[in-house]
Amino acid sequence: MMLAVGTAQAAPVCVEDTLPGRLADAPVRLCVDAGDVATPRYTLWLADAERIVGDEDAVVGAGLHGDWYGHPLRLHCRADGAVRHCDLSVDGEPAWNADVVIPNG
């Protein structure tokens, strides 16, 4: 599990990693922009391409969906104070998770 902590409210908080298992070595990057917006915005890059974008209301609800070369992606996060616990699934299977700490979140 990766943990990211931001220090400036205006800049997005990001965590970078590589996917484990059958998707090994695929770089993944998740950013949460809670700066000057009412609702934090989530962006997930996979293999250096933006694959999922959406607001916190959606990601903590049904989750955000995307596609990676025909493989369905789903990003779901839950808020626990300033911490966002995020899980990524690929083809309906758990693939990666990370905790993102939002300053003043």
Side-chain angles (χ1 to χ4, degrees):
M1 176 192 307
M2 295 300 299
L3 176 67
V5 179
T7 56
Q9 178 128 0
V13 179
C14 300
V15 61
E16 296 183 33
D17 199 6
T18 55
L19 292 180
R22 67 184 177 93
L23 304 170
D25 299 326
V28 60
R29 181 175 193 224
L30 173 63
C31 293
V32 180
D33 186 356
D36 298 324
V37 295
T39 303
R41 187 133 179 101
Y42 291 68
T43 306
L44 181 121
W45 288 267
L46 188 55
D48 300 320
E50 186 176 278
R51 303 294 178 176
I52 297 176
V53 177
D55 292 333
E56 186 163 76
D57 293 343
V59 78
V60 299
L64 296 171
H65 299 272
D67 181 82
W68 185 37
Y69 300 107
H71 298 278
L73 304 173
R74 179 177 181 260
L75 178 67
H76 184 265
C77 300
R78 61 191 188 285
D80 184 9
V83 180
R84 302 306 186 263
H85 305 282
C86 298
D87 298 300
L88 175 68
S89 63
V90 179
D91 292 330
E93 298 292 326
W96 180 78
N97 60 37
D99 286 347
V100 181
V101 178
I102 299 174
N104 305 318

